[in-house]
Amino acid sequence: MLPIFIIDFDKTIVTVETLDELVHITLEHEPHREKIASEIASITRLGMEGEIDFPTSLARRLSLFKPTKSDIERVAVLLKNNLTPSLIRNKAFFQKYHKQIYIISGGFKECIWPVVKDFGISQDHILANSFTYDKKGTVTGFDKTNLLSQVNGKVKAVAALKHTGKICIIGDGITDYQIKEQGKADTFYAFTENVSRKGVVAKADKTIRSFDELLFAYDLPRSQSYPTTKMKVLLLENISKEAVKKFEEEGYIVETVDRSLSEEELMKKVADVSILGIRSKTEITQKVFSKAKKLQVLGAFCIGTNQIDLKTAAHQGVAAFNAPYSNTRSVVELVIGEIIMLYRSIFDKSVGMHKGKWNKSAKGNFEIRGKKLGIIGYGNIGTQLSVLAESLGMQVYFYDVMEKLALGNAKKCQTLQEVLTTCDVITVHVDGAKTNKNLIGEKEFAQMKDGVLFLNLSRGHVVDIDALAGAITKGKVAGCAVDVFPKEPKSNDEAFVSPLQGLPNVILTPHVGGSTEEAQRNIGQFVSERVISYMNTGSTVLSVNFPTLSLPAQRNTHRYIHVHDNTPGVLAQINTVFADKNVNIEGQYLKTNEQIGYVITDVNINQEKALMQSLSKIKGTIRVRVLY
């Protein structure tokens, strides 16, 4: 049988302390308001932590300010704008089960009632104090006959209900726990969505970070089929705070690590992770996936996904997303800047100046206007570079293994050799496929023009670094800029070693092509939004390993998501399950790729446990989840 839920008001129903807010409103024109407000807040804290009894706390606070009925009306409006987010999400539950719900507070009914009445809570289900007023409507004190104004007031108020069934207390303070401690309730949940008090959490039967968790515990209707506050996000490699913020706003538990993790380290970390975010240095292997049983989605906060075993991800039902466009401009700007710097030997001159050497000469220094730029890889970065370089007066040539449309006056080369032998500047922008390993080696450097400039801002393994160092030493390459390396340090604390160090007119950067604040902010926002959309709706738009489905918003339906091996007959079996349970299908969407099938079914009623069990038994099933 369902218990009655007795829920604290301040920092549980609302995100603030009512009396503190009333103080600010009442004292807004008082010259010493900050000092008085600070003193009142200190008294509130002492009461919440049990260091002074409640009547003393209340009396001391009310002696410091005198609100009016007008002030109380204003604070009620403020409180409505500071409702706890998970309360708002679950308004339907409170309205439906309002007879099972009481609000308890050491605060005042006059402030509480205007806030909770929209949730179906009746006045006689509000256990709170009442103000006393003078004829002008100014507060003179509080009703001292009210049980809530006394020592152990909450305990006494709950006891006075004389409820014979089970009672569940939800709150953030020690006075809420005391109801359970003194035997007047069966269960105490420490509510930490707005504030977490160590002493209270230590005494609780269970800690919950949202009302979704409470409703999940009792298998009651809720806004989230599985509460985000019970799900962990792990973000590696110093991913943008924009992503952290978005996940935290959704209620997820977020852990961040500012470096990449080895396979062994990651295998130890992923067991309880539902969402994993990485950049380019962390490899997600089959062994990692074998330990990631709770993992549902993987976000690559970068362009490439070659560091991820996408096939294993799909077969384990883990959708993967990346950021194919978000840092393009940043990389292109760096390439343009480095070409100019190399043609003017700026870095060598700057180092000389720092050492006291004055070398004013035009010899060997050139404009980029009129030079032939060869772009190897004509994807997102290559094409944008093509446009910007042409606008600066360069003649653009490109080579790509795929058929690509030339932009502007760019000329397509039919072979790699053609672009190498033609151009004054060669820049590489291919993906990290294994087939591109040592794409540029001794043979390719030999085919280039003498005095060529060479840049690699794509992947470290596509260039034979020793061959490049040799070409620079021999004078074949007059200058180079390299941002990516076959072996890169895992963190800023690890030393970097390369045969390119100390060579003339060489610009070395620590994989920062896309590392601008704008790019990282855009990537953090873009990838986190795709991941959150997948978790909330099942949408797989721009996934790199799942079939692409753009889904309509749910409207009073339960959405069942079924990921399975791409074999014939699965859809028929799914529909048989729904038919056998007399469940009406209101919308259904199917998409497949070479590996997996992805079926979304919206139904009008929820039989979660029975349906999940039956859907999971279908042969070839990889993962089943439900959203509502």
Side-chain angles (χ1 to χ4, degrees):
M1 185 177 177
L2 197 64
I4 64 166
F5 298 102
I6 300 180
I7 306 173
D8 178 48
F9 186 73
D10 291 346
K11 290 295 179 74
T12 304
I13 294 293
V14 292
T15 63
V16 295
E17 289 287 346
T18 302
L19 208 57
D20 291 348
E21 298 303 323
L22 184 57
V23 168
H24 287 294
I25 287 173
T26 304
L27 300 178
E28 62 182 343
H29 301 301
E30 163 65 46
H32 303 294
R33 60 185 177 275
E34 293 302 327
K35 181 181 178 181
I36 298 171
S38 176
E39 187 175 349
I40 290 171
S42 177
I43 296 169
T44 299
R45 180 185 57 78
L46 291 173
M48 292 302 297
E49 294 177 357
E51 295 186 31
I52 58 175
D53 64 51
F54 181 75
T56 302
S57 167
L58 186 58
R60 284 173 59 182
R61 285 179 287 173
L62 284 179
S63 69
L64 295 172
F65 75 113
K66 298 296 179 184
T68 65
K69 287 185 177 180
S70 175
D71 295 329
I72 293 166
E73 288 172 359
R74 288 177 61 194
V75 84
V77 173
L78 182 148
L79 295 174
K80 285 183 179 181
N81 293 322
N82 285 277
L83 290 168
T84 296
S86 68
L87 176 87
I88 298 170
R89 289 198 302 267
N90 290 288
K91 186 174 183 178
F93 163 78
F94 285 87
Q95 291 173 329
K96 182 176 180 179
Y97 290 90
H98 61 92
K99 292 182 180 179
Q100 296 292 124
I101 299 168
Y102 287 81
I103 307 300
I104 195 165
S105 175
F108 295 87
K109 186 176 291 189
E110 294 95 324
C111 301
I112 298 170
W113 162 241
V115 179
V116 301
K117 64 181 180 179
D118 290 341
F119 288 77
I121 309 299
S122 59
Q123 286 199 57
D124 61 349
H125 275 223
I126 299 174
L127 311 177
N129 280 297
S130 296
F131 287 119
T132 57
Y133 305 89
D134 63 19
K135 292 181 180 180
K136 293 181 180 180
T138 299
V139 170
T140 58
F142 55 92
D143 178 6
K144 294 180 180 178
T145 65
N146 190 314
L147 292 176
L148 269 301
S149 71
Q150 302 172 17
V151 174
N152 279 338
K154 287 187 176 181
V155 176
K156 293 174 182 177
V158 173
L161 293 176
K162 297 181 179 179
H163 182 70
T164 56
K166 293 203 177 282
I167 295 176
C168 173
I169 305 295
I170 303 99
D172 64 279
I174 200 70
T175 56
D176 303 311
Y177 162 70
Q178 286 169 350
I179 303 170
K180 160 73 186 300
E181 182 185 40
Q182 296 189 32
K184 304 306 179 184
D186 301 279
T187 310
F188 169 62
Y189 287 97
F191 188 84
T192 62
E193 184 169 350
N194 301 314
V195 65
S196 180
R197 308 180 200 277
K198 288 184 179 179
V200 178
V201 168
K203 295 176 181 294
D205 294 301
K206 192 172 183 181
T207 299
I208 55 173
R209 297 179 69 237
S210 69
F211 282 109
D212 295 284
E213 287 192 33
L214 175 72
L215 303 182
F216 179 80
Y218 287 92
D219 197 21
L220 290 166
R222 54 197 178 273
S223 66
Q224 299 173 343
S225 49
Y226 189 84
T228 57
T229 49
K230 292 174 68 70
M231 301 171 75
K232 184 176 178 179
V233 178
L234 176 61
L235 302 177
L236 307 180
E237 303 183 65
N238 206 24
I239 286 170
S240 168
K241 291 181 180 178
E242 185 72 24
V244 177
K245 179 182 176 183
K246 284 193 170 291
F247 286 121
E248 287 181 340
E249 286 175 347
E250 289 289 315
Y252 291 102
I253 303 167
V254 181
E255 179 184 356
T256 60
V257 178
D258 62 3
R259 63 181 179 87
S260 64
L261 298 180
S262 67
E263 182 181 68
E264 185 177 345
E265 288 175 313
L266 199 50
M267 287 170 68
K268 294 177 181 178
K269 293 280 287 185
V270 295
D272 61 344
V273 171
S274 298
I275 298 171
L276 177 61
I278 63 168
R279 292 176 71 184
S280 57
K281 291 182 183 178
T282 303
E283 293 191 12
I284 312 299
T285 63
Q286 190 173 22
K287 286 185 178 180
V288 172
F289 280 118
S290 71
K291 299 295 183 181
K293 300 302 182 183
K294 291 186 177 181
L295 188 63
Q296 296 193 44
V297 59
L298 201 160
F301 288 75
C302 53
I303 293 176
T305 55
N306 294 89
Q307 70 277 35
I308 304 168
D309 184 342
L310 293 175
K311 185 176 181 180
T312 298
H315 278 305
Q316 196 160 307
V318 178
F321 297 87
N322 69 334
Y325 314 110
S326 300
N327 67 358
T328 301
R329 177 72 185 201
S330 297
V331 176
V332 169
E333 286 188 4
L334 183 58
V335 172
I336 293 291
E338 288 182 331
I339 293 172
I340 294 171
M341 295 297 102
L342 290 171
Y343 262 131
R344 304 290 291 273
S345 298
I346 293 297
F347 280 81
D348 285 359
K349 286 183 171 65
S350 177
V351 170
M353 291 286 285
H354 281 284
K355 294 179 179 179
K357 183 177 180 181
W358 182 269
N359 181 20
K360 179 176 170 59
S361 172
K363 185 177 180 181
N365 290 261
F366 305 94
E367 296 180 350
I368 67 170
R369 179 174 50 178
K371 300 299 184 294
K372 295 176 180 178
L373 173 65
I375 301 173
I376 301 172
Y378 206 61
N380 299 322
I381 292 174
T383 51
Q384 189 168 146
L385 174 61
S386 174
V387 173
L388 262 66
E390 189 174 317
S391 72
L392 291 170
M394 301 189 81
Q395 300 174 40
V396 178
Y397 296 77
F398 72 89
Y399 171 73
D400 198 295
V401 293
M402 304 291 290
E403 187 62 36
K404 296 291 179 69
L405 177 67
L407 300 182
N409 296 312
K411 299 176 179 65
K412 177 178 173 61
C413 295
Q414 298 303 314
T415 65
L416 177 60
Q417 182 178 355
E418 182 182 352
V419 75
L420 295 176
T421 57
T422 302
C423 296
D424 305 304
V425 183
I426 303 294
T427 181
V428 184
H429 300 286
V430 299
D431 64 30
K434 292 181 180 179
T435 53
N436 284 328
K437 184 176 182 180
N438 289 341
L439 178 68
I440 306 296
E442 282 190 23
K443 174 185 172 184
E444 288 71 30
F445 285 118
Q447 292 172 347
M448 296 179 192
K449 297 168 80 172
D450 291 342
V452 69
L453 298 184
F454 179 79
L455 298 91
N456 180 24
L457 287 86
S458 60
R459 296 291 186 276
H461 68 265
V462 305
V463 176
D464 183 334
I465 289 291
D466 291 323
L468 173 57
I472 295 168
T473 303
K474 294 172 185 175
K476 181 72 174 182
V477 174
C480 80
V482 180
D483 186 52
V484 288
F485 304 87
K487 186 180 185 304
E488 297 181 358
K490 290 184 178 180
S491 72
N492 292 342
D493 298 326
E494 186 178 329
F496 167 72
V497 179
S498 171
L500 299 177
Q501 289 170 308
L503 296 179
N505 204 25
V506 171
I507 301 173
L508 303 178
T509 49
H511 205 145
V512 294
S515 296
T516 61
E517 290 192 12
E518 294 91 343
Q520 293 308 305
R521 184 169 58 248
N522 291 339
I523 290 171
Q525 181 175 354
F526 181 84
V527 178
S528 59
E529 284 177 352
R530 298 309 328 139
V531 168
I532 290 168
S533 176
Y534 172 75
M535 293 297 288
N536 289 349
T537 72
S539 173
T540 54
V541 173
L542 297 180
S543 171
V544 293
N545 68 333
F546 264 42
T548 298
L549 272 180
S550 178
L551 300 164
Q554 285 178 261
R555 288 183 173 83
N556 300 317
T557 62
H558 300 276
R559 176 166 288 176
Y560 286 85
I561 297 173
H562 192 276
V563 186
H564 55 270
D565 294 329
N566 186 11
T567 55
V570 176
L571 181 61
Q573 294 180 68
I574 290 172
N575 289 339
T576 297
V577 168
F578 288 115
D580 289 345
K581 304 289 184 186
N582 294 316
V583 175
N584 183 51
I585 295 175
E586 299 202 356
Q588 193 166 58
Y589 314 90
L590 165 67
K591 201 73 178 285
T592 62
N593 61 20
E594 292 181 356
Q595 292 178 254
I596 61 173
Y598 190 61
V599 177
I600 307 293
T601 307
D602 289 346
V603 302
N604 63 339
I605 59 174
N606 183 28
Q607 298 180 12
E608 181 179 340
K609 291 182 179 178
L611 285 171
M612 293 282 280
Q613 289 175 356
S614 298
L615 291 170
S616 298
K617 291 178 181 178
I618 294 173
K619 186 177 180 180
T621 296
I622 295 172
R623 168 165 283 166
V624 181
R625 67 186 181 110
V626 62
L627 301 174
Y628 50 81

